[in-house]
Amino acid sequence: MFAGKVRKMKSIVRYSDAFVVNIEPTNACNLRCVHCGDDKKRKIGFITPELFEKVSIQCRGKEIRPFMSGEPLMHKGIFDLIKIATKYSSRVVLHTNATLLDEKKANALVESGIQFVSISFDGLTKEEYEGNRKGANFESVSENISRFLKINNKKVHVTVQRIIKKGEPAIGVEKLFDGANVYSVIVRHSWDVRGRVEGCKSHTNYDRYCFFPWNYIPVLWNGDVCLCCADLNGKCIIGDINKDSLEKIWNGPQMVSIRDRMIRGIPIPEICSGCERYNP
């Protein structure tokens, strides 16, 4: 009887009802950030409203994140996509570099019905910021963020985050911007570019089991579903939402096998090798 319960428990942990879905509006980006793992080799594209809704309707009760690789505000219909997402989820989160967040877009974002916005601003000085966010202008983006926070007036929950190198003082940007709900500091992730990104995290305390293959579903702009939201280059495709349901892909043989191998300490796809979240 006990052995049967153990077998059932092991079977359950190999399946997942993920609670976060990244739906990529576009992989186009206007910056070349030093910590980004996007190799820019994927075909540039923009998700259609029809495909975005096809995914969103399968995400009832889940958090929808209309971003992955790329800058979501580069999608001309991004606010329509957000409105679609809010029809099916009570927790929609957008992350942006704010370079394109002019007054018109700031008002549209606040009025879109989105619940959470996260903004990256990786520097306390012009030199640091522009060195990290290649192609961005310190003064212009600062103005965009300050104006957005003023227009928002705490209607939407806003986080302004700063990414730092390992070992740097964890100082946020609260002195630069007033009106955000949270000011966070994040150490650079290694993801799949460990060794290429200077100052990234070493292995952390995840103790072999990365929770991403259980909890986060990434859907690329063309409908490809990849293993991990850190797979910005789409190296490990596990399915196509144009052909199968999200549930069928996420708990299909390939994903179940990956979870099983992770649980048992058997090597899994190269995308995971060296990532701080996977420590076999």
Side-chain angles (χ1 to χ4, degrees):
M1 182 177 177
F2 178 75
K5 287 184 178 180
V6 170
R7 283 194 298 270
K8 183 178 180 181
M9 181 176 69
K10 286 184 176 180
S11 174
I12 290 171
V13 299
R14 283 159 175 77
Y15 292 85
S16 165
D17 182 18
F19 57 80
V20 176
V21 182
N22 284 81
I23 311 176
E24 182 181 70
T26 180
N27 60 330
C29 190
N30 56 343
L31 300 183
R32 295 295 182 269
C33 302
V34 297
H35 52 269
C36 182
D38 189 344
D39 62 14
K40 309 302 178 186
K41 293 180 181 178
R42 234 181 346 125
K43 179 183 177 182
I44 300 297
F46 299 82
I47 197 168
T48 64
E50 293 77 18
L51 182 56
F52 189 91
E53 183 147 26
K54 181 177 181 177
V55 180
S56 297
I57 201 170
Q58 299 178 61
C59 298
R60 297 181 189 276
K62 304 183 189 299
E63 178 177 306
I64 296 178
R65 298 181 178 180
F67 66 89
M68 194 169 142
S69 177
E71 167 51 43
L73 294 185
M74 292 191 73
H75 193 297
K76 293 181 179 179
I78 185 62
F79 303 114
D80 292 329
L81 300 184
I82 291 171
K83 289 175 182 178
I84 291 172
T86 59
K87 286 165 53 179
Y88 304 104
S89 173
S90 60
R91 187 177 177 90
V92 180
V93 183
L94 182 81
H95 186 77
T96 177
N97 61 33
T99 54
L100 304 175
L101 194 57
D102 57 22
E103 184 174 359
K104 182 178 179 180
K105 289 187 176 68
N107 279 293
L109 186 54
V110 172
E111 295 167 4
S112 67
I114 198 165
Q115 294 90 2
F116 298 87
V117 172
S118 175
I119 300 172
S120 283
F121 195 84
D122 304 324
L124 301 177
T125 65
K126 178 180 176 68
E127 181 181 15
E128 181 189 12
Y129 173 76
E130 293 182 2
N132 288 327
R133 296 270 167 178
K134 303 290 186 180
N137 178 270
F138 181 86
E139 291 82 7
S140 175
V141 179
S142 295
E143 182 181 354
N144 285 353
I145 296 173
S146 296
R147 181 178 52 238
F148 170 71
L149 291 171
K150 185 176 181 180
I151 291 171
N152 182 52
N153 194 27
K154 297 289 180 75
K155 298 182 186 73
V156 178
H157 187 282
V158 178
T159 297
V160 183
Q161 71 173 34
R162 177 186 174 218
I163 298 175
I164 62 172
K165 293 180 183 178
K166 183 182 179 184
E168 286 186 352
I171 302 172
V173 295
E174 45 267 69
K175 290 185 178 180
L176 298 179
F177 306 109
D178 180 49
N181 298 85
V182 176
Y183 300 89
S184 65
V185 179
I186 300 173
V187 178
R188 289 181 181 177
H189 293 295
S190 62
W191 302 132
D192 62 322
V193 289
R194 187 179 175 85
R196 183 165 73 81
V197 175
E198 180 187 356
C200 66
K201 285 183 179 179
S202 56
H203 282 311
T204 55
N205 60 347
Y206 286 90
D207 193 25
R208 186 194 299 173
Y209 305 132
C210 169
F211 53 78
F212 279 26
W214 278 265
N215 296 331
Y216 292 81
I217 306 177
V219 183
L220 305 183
W221 66 265
N222 64 349
D224 283 344
V225 179
C226 54
L227 170 62
C228 175
C229 57
D231 185 9
L232 303 182
N233 302 308
K235 291 179 180 178
C236 189
I237 302 301
I238 60 169
D240 183 351
I241 202 69
N242 294 291
K243 300 176 181 178
D244 294 305
S245 70
L246 214 52
E247 166 65 23
K248 184 176 181 180
I249 295 169
W250 197 238
N251 283 312
Q254 189 173 353
M255 279 304 299
V256 170
S257 173
I258 288 170
R259 295 185 191 113
D260 178 70
R261 287 155 65 189
M262 182 173 286
I263 290 169
R264 296 198 288 163
I266 300 172
I268 53 178
E270 182 183 353
I271 182 70
C272 303
S273 178
C275 178
E276 83 232 18
R277 295 183 181 272
Y278 179 57
N279 190 13

